[in-house]
Amino acid sequence: MELTSKIQRTNSEALFNEAKQYFPGGVNSPVRAFKSVSGPPLFIKEGQGCRIIDEDDNQYIDFCCSWGPLILGHNNPGIRELVVETVAKGTSFGTPNRLGNQLGKLIIEHNRYIEKIRFVSSGTEAVMSAIRLARG
């Protein structure tokens, strides 16, 4: 028996065509291009738990979970509340802060091979730090 269910992706296709005006290939990463599977990439509008919903209201199980960070699922109530509470205090300061210390401590305490850590804002800044370290 052959399954021939055709999923409607009209809205995703329209958004993809618009995105081609702004982004090379219409996407922000070659991973999202969908060229190897044909058709437009999925434009996701919502996620709840392990499920995501695209702009055409098709529902999927999200096996990627944003490539790892969403281990507790989309829109987890506890995480959402903490994010809202934290954002209410400001989104970026460009200076050291208590939460940076807490995150650094958490990472170092759970990775026995890491002695020090540096958070940076871009890949360029990360490479510059690595070059400085190598030169030292």
Side-chain angles (χ1 to χ4, degrees):
M1 180 173 144
E2 184 179 323
L3 296 175
T4 57
S5 170
K6 180 144 176 122
I7 295 175
Q8 182 73 343
R9 292 198 281 174
T10 307
N11 294 332
S12 282
E13 186 169 11
L15 288 165
F16 181 50
N17 288 332
E18 178 187 353
K20 290 177 189 177
Q21 298 174 52
Y22 315 122
F23 313 109
V27 293
N28 288 305
S29 165
V31 173
R32 298 180 188 105
F34 263 56
K35 282 190 175 188
S36 62
V37 294
S38 75
L42 303 175
F43 276 70
I44 304 303
K45 70 175 178 180
E46 184 178 343
Q48 297 292 332
C50 68
R51 300 190 182 279
I52 52 177
I53 301 170
D54 70 11
E55 289 287 348
D56 294 287
D57 293 323
N58 300 305
Q59 191 175 130
Y60 307 90
I61 295 174
D62 184 1
F63 291 104
C64 295
C65 295
S66 197
W67 310 109
L70 297 178
I71 193 167
L72 298 177
H74 293 274
N75 204 15
N76 178 282
I79 292 174
R80 183 182 58 243
E81 289 169 18
L82 289 171
V83 168
V84 169
E85 178 185 316
T86 302
V87 168
K89 297 174 186 174
T91 55
S92 179
F93 306 113
T95 64
N97 60 68
R98 181 184 308 268
L99 292 177
N101 285 1
Q102 291 173 356
L103 182 57
K105 179 180 179 183
L106 180 72
I107 291 169
I108 289 170
E109 286 181 349
H110 290 85
N111 293 276
R112 63 182 176 174
Y113 300 107
I114 298 175
E115 296 175 12
K116 298 278 183 180
I117 191 168
R118 171 165 282 166
F119 298 121
V120 295
S121 299
S122 69
T124 300
E125 194 176 354
V127 170
M128 288 174 23
S129 295
I131 289 171
R132 286 187 186 128
L133 178 63
R135 287 177 64 186

